[in-house]
Amino acid sequence: MDVELVSIGTELLLGYTIDTNSAFFAREAAAQGIRVVHRATVGDGPEEIAAAVRDALARTGAVITSGGLGPTADDLTKPSIAELFGRGMTLDESILEDLKQRWAKRGWPGELPAANRNQALIPAGAEIIRNDHGSAPGIWLEDEQGRWCAMLPGVPREFRGMAREQLIPRLVARRGGAVGLVVRSRTLRTTGIAESKLADEMGELAKDPLGTRLAYLPGWEGVDLRVSVWNEPADRAAQLLDDAERAIRAKVGTWIYGVDDDDLAALVLQLLRERSHRIAVAESCTGGMLGMRLTAVPGSSDVVDGGTIAYANHVKVRELGVREATLQAHGAVSEETAREMASGVRTRFGVEVGVGITGVAGPGGGTPDKPVGTVCIAADVGGQLRSARTTMVGDRHEVRQRSTQAALNLVRRMLLVLALCVAPAACASSGRASAGSAASPAVEANRVYTVAEVTRQAEARFGQNALRYPPELRIQGLIGRVEAEFIVNARGRIEPESFVVLSSTHADFTQEVKDAIPTLEFLPARVGRTPVRVRMRLGFDFKLSEFEGARRPE
């Protein structure tokens, strides 16, 4: 079934209001095999409304309008379309009575204003589309040729509720039969990578991966990859989207943080919640925007303690413990300052995670060394510090928005650091057995273990600094698991050429593991003079990462 949309309202043409109704309807209808083939936006004038609907009826005979059903003088949708269908306007007493009851129930003084009576006027022979979300009923008007126009209110809450609950089910029933060919889309949300770089990384998938259509949608949050399937049966469309998502993740999974409407702030809060962590934020150039994003998510109070807006340097010193020497040596906009802000807010609030943001949001204040858009962010997760300096593009508001996204992504990546599990393989080739090894700690199902947690367990067994994790070790965002064997030499280093994959869920994950393995170190004193073969399981699948116990290779 093909339909057309006509959005009505001069405010839409002037740019004061954004038409979100059409986008919503197109997505919802496509999932039911109903295609929106044409969209138009017109002003409030009766001639404009009539012309747009007339043209749409001539093309498809199926038109949905939004807006212009209110009580005021500029709400002329109903009479304009009624005249097009050759119908007069009649007063519907049931609608009028409902309007009176709503007026009285809300406790407004006096009687129902005369202007509201206009909402009870409907074209002769029209059907009412019930509105459980507002006062203006929808209208269904159809002629002898089967051409029809459905008129819905323009208020987004009312339009969406009526479309989902009333109109789309009606159209599905009118079409009859099971869902035929559908249009389905899936959005993979990336951040921290430029659009051009993303396309390069995608390689041969950069255009239309595996029979789907791919669109790059850049914004301040990152670059969304929208994969679409047109005119396919529902089950086939779902399979194509699944295949395309797997292929794309294999290429650029490191930068994908969510799907469809996922919000990075909500995802970070969930990660914190799963680890029983709490967070506090220290903000300079963002002035509370990061805290606002976190607390805008319902239920955030169980993991968000609070924050400090440290705009002035003396506030950074007094409230966060930033050292005067750091500010003098590196300046307020520096990784060093951001790191001390993150650690300071974590310590002062007594939480597991602290975040620091400082930068030059503009439009003034930039220098050759630190131009407008320079932002430094840092995160302290359980005493592990990571920081970054970047240059954000856009105006002041965009720089601040992008800064909050970068900070959230840094926290996400730190929380999702791969869980490292080390256990002796007791290989026959080594001829050695594990001496004095204790039982492995219990594994909690459906939990991702962070580097900090694994390190704590390793240090409890062997003492401080039993395992060291360099900054280069970042195998994150990929779905997969690798089990491998390799040799640790007498210097505590892994011999890369000895790396052998025992099992793996996909090749790209294996390659990243191979690239990162040489950066791991074991305490030489714990290894001894004889090279030792060990087995390591690297697991990260968003659900389960196994920890089998960090034992000293004997």
Side-chain angles (χ1 to χ4, degrees):
M1 175 183 286
D2 293 344
V3 300
E4 300 194 28
L5 300 179
V6 177
S7 303
I8 298 167
T10 302
E11 71 278 4
L12 299 174
L13 296 176
L14 293 175
Y16 292 114
T17 302
I18 298 174
D19 177 19
T20 59
N21 290 340
S22 294
F24 169 83
F25 185 86
R27 290 194 302 269
E28 295 285 316
Q32 299 299 325
I34 300 166
R35 291 198 315 163
V36 174
V37 296
H38 193 274
R39 288 168 51 178
T41 302
V42 298
D44 295 313
E47 297 84 4
E48 301 169 71
I49 297 171
V53 175
R54 182 187 301 111
D55 292 344
L57 288 171
R59 283 188 296 263
T60 60
V63 189
I64 299 159
T65 69
S66 66
L69 300 185
T72 57
D74 61 347
D75 292 311
L76 300 173
T77 296
K78 288 184 293 184
S80 302
I81 297 175
E83 184 177 353
L84 196 62
F85 277 77
R87 312 287 179 87
M89 301 294 290
T90 61
L91 181 68
D92 188 297
E93 293 293 343
S94 64
I95 296 176
L96 181 60
E97 182 59 28
D98 181 64
L99 290 170
K100 290 180 179 179
Q101 290 180 10
R102 289 173 62 89
W103 183 270
K105 186 177 180 179
R106 296 194 176 187
W108 289 329
E111 297 183 351
L112 181 74
N116 282 99
R117 293 174 61 90
N118 291 333
Q119 291 180 295
L121 293 173
I122 66 171
E127 297 179 49
I128 303 301
I129 301 175
R130 191 174 75 251
N131 182 358
D132 295 327
H133 306 273
S135 60
I139 305 294
W140 178 281
L141 193 56
E142 189 170 347
D143 65 13
E144 297 79 6
Q145 304 172 48
R147 302 182 309 166
W148 55 267
C149 180
M151 297 166 253
L152 300 185
V155 179
R157 180 176 60 86
E158 298 181 35
F159 178 92
R160 295 180 183 192
M162 295 175 70
R164 181 181 286 130
E165 299 163 10
Q166 304 292 332
L167 183 57
I168 291 178
R170 181 176 188 143
L171 297 182
V172 170
R174 183 183 181 92
R175 181 197 61 206
V179 175
L181 302 182
V182 301
V183 179
R184 296 279 170 85
S185 296
R186 186 173 302 169
T187 302
L188 303 179
R189 313 206 70 188
T190 76
T191 194
I193 181 172
E195 181 181 1
S196 57
K197 176 64 174 175
L198 196 58
D200 287 344
E201 294 289 329
M202 291 274 286
E204 71 278 3
L205 296 176
K207 294 184 179 179
D208 295 324
L210 305 179
T212 64
R213 301 183 186 181
L214 179 63
Y216 296 80
L217 308 173
W220 66 266
E221 294 172 295
V223 182
D224 286 347
L225 299 173
R226 179 164 297 161
V227 186
S228 300
V229 177
W230 290 72
N231 299 327
E232 294 283 357
D235 55 350
R236 170 67 174 162
Q239 185 61 55
L240 286 170
L241 291 177
D242 288 345
D243 292 345
E245 178 177 354
R246 276 192 293 270
I248 292 171
R249 283 187 180 275
K251 292 288 187 181
V252 297
T254 302
W255 294 281
I256 295 174
Y257 69 86
V259 178
D260 292 334
D261 296 325
D262 282 343
D263 171 54
L264 186 53
L267 295 175
V268 167
L269 290 173
Q270 185 58 32
L271 291 173
L272 292 166
R273 197 171 288 117
E274 290 170 357
R275 291 153 178 74
S276 299
H277 286 353
R278 299 186 67 83
I279 190 171
V281 297
E283 303 182 61
S284 181
C285 64
T286 50
M289 290 178 72
L290 178 56
M292 181 182 69
R293 284 193 65 184
L294 290 169
T295 57
V297 180
S300 58
S301 60
D302 62 348
V303 290
V304 178
D305 263 36
T308 299
I309 299 175
Y311 216 60
N313 283 352
H314 68 85
V315 178
K316 293 180 177 71
V317 173
R318 185 183 69 233
E319 301 296 332
L320 300 173
V322 175
R323 295 174 298 169
E324 291 278 8
T326 300
L327 293 169
Q328 292 175 4
H330 305 285
V333 180
S334 63
E335 287 189 60
E336 290 78 6
T337 296
R339 290 164 74 93
E340 292 188 17
M341 290 172 66
S343 295
V345 77
R346 184 180 74 83
T347 301
R348 279 159 171 72
F349 278 82
V351 296
E352 291 79 14
V353 181
V355 183
I357 307 178
T358 180
V360 185
T367 65
D369 182 48
K370 299 175 183 178
V372 170
T374 300
V375 176
C376 297
I377 58 174
D380 184 332
V381 179
Q384 295 186 82
L385 264 169
R386 293 280 296 281
S387 62
R389 170 175 166 165
T390 186
T391 302
M392 305 293 182
V393 298
D395 60 21
R396 180 179 178 83
H397 184 62
E398 288 176 308
V399 167
R400 284 150 50 93
Q401 285 181 313
R402 294 176 191 273
S403 299
T404 65
Q405 187 77 352
L408 288 170
N409 195 43
L410 178 60
V411 174
R412 178 188 72 92
R413 293 178 70 96
M414 291 186 71
L415 293 174
L416 287 180
V417 164
L418 78 98
L420 177 63
C421 317
V422 180
C427 299
S429 60
S430 69
R432 301 172 64 93
S434 301
S437 60
S440 300
V443 176
E444 291 185 37
N446 299 320
R447 178 178 177 189
V448 175
Y449 285 82
T450 66
V451 162
E453 291 169 317
V454 175
T455 302
R456 281 197 296 271
Q457 295 194 51
E459 291 181 347
R461 191 177 298 277
F462 311 134
Q464 193 172 9
N465 297 323
L467 294 174
R468 293 194 289 275
Y469 300 87
E472 293 78 15
L473 183 59
R474 295 187 300 174
I475 307 172
Q476 303 172 43
L478 289 172
I479 300 174
R481 186 179 289 113
V482 172
E483 186 172 7
E485 286 186 351
F486 49 84
I487 293 175
V488 179
N489 61 32
R491 298 187 307 279
R493 302 289 296 179
I494 294 171
E495 297 179 2
E497 63 276 8
S498 71
F499 186 87
V500 177
V501 175
L502 302 177
S503 64
S504 176
T505 51
H506 73 60
D508 290 276
F509 188 80
T510 303
Q511 187 56 53
E512 287 221 16
V513 172
K514 287 183 176 180
D515 292 342
I517 283 300
T519 67
L520 281 175
E521 294 180 74
F522 297 86
L523 277 184
R526 301 299 186 187
V527 177
R529 296 183 178 180
T530 305
V532 177
R533 184 180 299 275
V534 298
R535 177 174 296 180
M536 175 180 289
R537 178 177 288 115
L538 305 169
F540 180 58
D541 62 1
F542 293 113
K543 292 182 180 178
L544 176 64
S545 188
E546 299 171 271
F547 181 77
E548 293 191 339
R551 303 175 183 173
R552 179 175 75 248
E554 299 278 1

